[in-house]
Amino acid sequence: DVKLVESGGGVVQPGRSLRLSCAASGFTFDDYAMHWVRQAPGKGLEWVAGITWNGGNLGYADSVKGRFTISRDNAKNSLYLQMNSLRAEDSALYLCTGDTYSSSSYYGMDVWGQGTTVSVSS
Amino acid sequence: VLTQFPATLSLSPGERATLSCRASQSVNNFLAWYQHKSGQAPRLLIYGGFNRAPGVPARFSGSGSGTDFTLTISSLEPEDFAVYYCQQRRWWPTFGQGTRLQIK
């Protein structure tokens, strides 16, 4: 079974840090670019950060650039998100997902976790 | 930027649904559609603009290229009422703001 399981969410005060993890199983992890996507209460899906299959290229939404760091460990089939200087507006369900593509085709985000909730509040 | 319209679509089971997604710049065919129900992970429906993902019913179809894309559901089933997102991968991903498909 293809599985992505997120962990590490919780309640944290503004300005503090949190590290999310995503454990992958049931598919070839290093075939995939991996991403963190979040959904704030009552809002739509927002891409947060992405990393290529080998970790050679990283990307961030403007809203988190300079505060969040994405990383992966292919030997452990794991994805991470280090979140620093957290703000109230970072409160959301954080979902781990992966996609594949070539120079001419895109195959979509076909693996998803159920998410871990982050709440930033004093 | 991806713009979806309408924001909300109210239809009855059996009717045809047409959802639109417009990109501010060409994304070629690097576009996907997802169905999202509350409490569940998003589900990939369409990739590469028009390819159905495995297990997706034939009533779902995607069309378009460049900047204008459409997701069509030919005859709505009760389980199709959900929020639908388009997403581009020409660059790092972005999602449209979603179309809520609700029962009339």
Side-chain angles (χ1 to χ4, degrees), chain B residues 13-85:
Chain B
E15 290 193 292
R16 182 184 187 89
T18 302
L19 288 68
S20 298
C21 175
R22 179 165 292 161
S24 57
Q25 302 176 66
S26 174
V27 298
N28 294 339
N29 280 335
F30 284 64
L31 188 113
W33 289 92
Y34 301 86
Q35 178 190 68
H36 194 201
K37 297 180 180 179
S38 181
Q40 298 183 16
R43 175 194 182 193
L44 175 66
L45 297 175
I46 302 289
Y47 64 91
F50 59 87
N51 302 287
R52 262 192 307 278
V56 174
R59 64 181 181 273
F60 291 90
S61 63
S63 63
S65 66
T67 60
D68 289 290
F69 298 86
T70 300
L71 174 70
T72 302
I73 311 171
S74 59
S75 179
L76 285 164
E77 297 288 340
E79 62 267 27
D80 298 337
F81 292 92
V83 180
Y84 290 83
Y85 295 93

Side-chain angles (χ1 to χ4, degrees), chain B residues 86-104:
Chain B
C86 59
Q87 172 247 323
Q88 68 77 24
R89 195 58 164 102
R90 182 71 178 85
W91 305 276
W92 288 110
T94 53
F95 289 89
Q97 79 277 24
T99 290
R100 179 174 300 277
L101 178 57
Q102 61 184 27
I103 298 177
K104 188 173 182 180

Side-chain angles (χ1 to χ4, degrees), chain A residues 33 35 37 39 43-45 47 50-51 57-59 99 101-110 112-114, chain B residues 29-32 34 36 39-44 46-49 51 85 87-89 92-97:
Chain A
H35 309 272
V37 171
Q39 185 175 34
K43 303 292 187 182
L45 300 175
W47 175 79
I51 185 167
N57 199 7
L58 313 180
D99 64 2
Y101 57 92
S102 67
S103 59
S104 59
S105 300
Y106 180 52
Y107 303 104
M109 294 177 174
D110 63 348
W112 289 85
Q114 293 295 319
Chain B
N29 280 335
F30 284 64
L31 188 113
Y34 301 86
H36 194 201
Q40 298 183 16
R43 175 194 182 193
L44 175 66
I46 302 289
Y47 64 91
N51 302 287
Y85 295 93
Q87 172 247 323
Q88 68 77 24
R89 195 58 164 102
W92 288 110
T94 53
F95 289 89
Q97 79 277 24

